[in-house]
Amino acid sequence: MEEKGLVVKSIGGLYYAESPLGVLECKARGIFRKQNISPYVGDNVRIEEIGDGKGVISEIFPRKNSIIRPPLANLDYLIFVVSTCEPLPNYTLLDKFIATAEYKKINSMIAVTKRDLKNNDNIAETYKNSGAEVFEIDYSDPISYQRLYDRIAGKVCAFTGNTGVGKSTLLNHIDAENVRATGEISHKLGRGRHTTRHVELFKLKNGAYIADTPGFSTFETNKYDIILKNELAGCFNEFSEFEGKCRFLDCSHTKERGCAIIEAVNEGIIPKTRHNSYVEMYEEAEQIKEWEIKDRLK
């Protein structure tokens, strides 16, 4: 018997797929290995049911998007959790997240936590034109996280961000039945202890599927995909109004005179931190080797 399913967990070469027959423990057909592909959590798949709650994944349906680390597919929202303090916001990291989400055609959101410890209105102001929707979370005000809960209803989402920013705590509040382990902040290291053990989709009462991904403190966009330098400006939503208005057609928007984007930065229209992140990413893109580009195009 064949059924369609959704991969909700992957551990050690086994895939757990939600289907009309329940959650089946599946292996993937060997042909996927020969094609150098494998199912991702979030994949829509075809399953051959073989009994005893087991099955074989025979087909992976086309993905609308995917990220490699962690392996997730078909995301509607990538939600970047940042805290006002402990740890302080890493704007460069956040800008790389948003640019990569834009490049991968994934809608982005920013959830700002720990407002009870420190207020930081600068985050919302900085990202108001970034294309990322900002939710400021105050746990003394349930409406603040209810807005986020309502916004993601019926969607497939991933929560990610630096360790210690409160991803699991946020999930606890928006869906108390799916309680996740929370860790204490290590003041010595300035970051949280790792508490999320593996990537898995959890279904909420509002129909949303949530992947609570492991925290990390560094982020290299080329681990997700290579964004070429001539593609990068299109990943910064604030730049779109000024594209094509520079003095030089081949303007890199990093240091040229007559650059409309740099002028907008100087006038305070585009946040300086956003442009600084763009320049850093542009310089990194210039270092990309030809073989890396060829590998992406395979």
Side-chain angles (χ1 to χ4, degrees), residues 5 46 63 66 68 107 134 197 208 229 241 271 275 288 293:
R46 190 183 307 280
R63 297 164 176 161
S66 64
I68 300 169
N107 294 314
V134 180
R197 301 302 178 186
K229 64 182 182 181
E241 180 183 346
H275 184 253
I288 294 173
I293 297 172

Side-chain angles (χ1 to χ4, degrees), residues 32-68:
F32 295 130
R33 193 179 309 110
K34 293 179 181 178
Q35 296 172 343
N36 198 30
I37 61 174
S38 60
Y40 282 6
V41 170
D43 267 330
N44 296 298
V45 296
R46 190 183 307 280
I47 306 166
E48 295 178 8
E49 195 262 338
I50 57 177
D52 295 326
K54 301 183 185 297
V56 176
I57 295 175
S58 58
E59 182 179 359
I60 302 171
F61 294 109
R63 297 164 176 161
K64 65 181 180 181
N65 56 54
S66 64
I67 58 176
I68 300 169

Side-chain angles (χ1 to χ4, degrees), residues 11-296:
I11 298 179
L14 292 176
Y15 304 93
Y16 296 83
E18 186 179 278
S19 76
L21 299 175
V23 176
L24 301 179
E25 179 186 288
C26 302
K27 292 184 178 181
R29 284 210 176 282
I31 191 170
F32 295 130
R33 193 179 309 110
K34 293 179 181 178
Q35 296 172 343
N36 198 30
I37 61 174
S38 60
Y40 282 6
V41 170
D43 267 330
N44 296 298
V45 296
R46 190 183 307 280
I47 306 166
E48 295 178 8
E49 195 262 338
I50 57 177
D52 295 326
K54 301 183 185 297
V56 176
I57 295 175
S58 58
E59 182 179 359
I60 302 171
F61 294 109
R63 297 164 176 161
K64 65 181 180 181
N65 56 54
S66 64
I67 58 176
I68 300 169
R69 298 182 183 178
L72 288 166
N74 301 312
L75 290 171
D76 294 303
Y77 291 113
L78 195 48
I79 302 168
F80 313 115
V81 185
V82 297
S83 58
T84 60
C85 59
E86 297 187 17
L88 291 170
N90 184 328
Y91 292 106
T92 302
L93 181 67
L94 182 54
D95 292 335
K96 288 184 176 184
F97 278 145
I98 295 171
T100 302
E102 188 73 24
Y103 187 70
K104 302 292 268 181
K105 309 295 184 190
I106 306 172
N107 294 314
S108 57
M109 295 180 179
I110 302 171
V112 184
T113 64
K114 302 188 182 179
R115 284 178 57 85
D116 57 318
L117 299 178
K118 181 181 179 181
N119 194 10
N120 191 337
D121 294 330
N122 188 53
I123 298 175
E125 179 64 22
T126 299
Y127 293 96
K128 65 181 181 181
N129 296 318
S130 67
E133 197 170 353
V134 180
F135 292 83
E136 298 184 274
I137 308 299
D138 181 346
Y139 294 124
S140 67
D141 178 14
I143 293 176
S144 68
Y145 50 88
Q146 182 67 39
R147 290 194 190 100
L148 176 60
Y149 180 78
D150 293 341
R151 190 75 176 85
I152 64 176
K155 306 297 184 181
V156 178
C157 313
F159 282 70
T160 192
N162 260 9
T163 302
V165 295
K167 297 183 302 295
S168 295
T169 301
L170 178 57
L171 287 176
N172 287 348
H173 280 79
I174 66 173
D175 187 51
E177 291 184 5
N178 271 325
V179 175
R180 309 290 293 146
T182 56
E184 296 177 355
I185 295 293
S186 170
H187 291 282
K188 182 177 180 181
L189 297 177
R191 55 192 174 90
R193 295 174 183 159
H194 179 59
T195 56
T196 306
R197 301 302 178 186
H198 61 268
V199 182
E200 180 177 356
L201 291 180
F202 297 88
K203 191 171 185 179
L204 308 188
K205 287 183 177 180
N206 64 358
Y209 286 91
I210 299 297
D212 183 18
T213 66
F216 38 85
S217 56
T218 61
F219 183 83
E220 298 174 75
T221 52
N222 60 4
K223 298 296 184 184
Y224 283 65
D225 207 334
I226 295 173
I227 305 179
L228 302 180
K229 64 182 182 181
N230 63 328
E231 300 173 306
L232 185 59
C235 299
F236 283 73
N237 192 62
E238 303 96 325
F239 293 7
S240 60
E241 180 183 346
F242 306 97
E243 287 273 23
K245 297 180 181 179
C246 299
R247 179 183 299 176
F248 305 108
L249 291 177
D250 61 347
C251 185
S252 70
H253 316 308
T254 59
K255 57 186 177 182
E256 296 87 344
R257 289 186 177 182
C259 172
I261 288 171
I262 292 176
E263 289 174 1
V265 174
N266 292 335
E267 293 171 9
I269 300 171
I270 295 174
K272 189 170 182 58
T273 58
R274 291 280 287 158
H275 184 253
N276 288 345
S277 296
Y278 167 81
V279 172
E280 181 176 322
M281 293 177 69
Y282 190 93
E283 291 172 350
E284 290 173 357
E286 286 188 307
Q287 305 304 313
I288 294 173
K289 305 295 188 294
E290 185 176 345
W291 65 265
E292 292 179 287
I293 297 172
K294 289 181 178 179
D295 279 351
R296 190 190 74 165

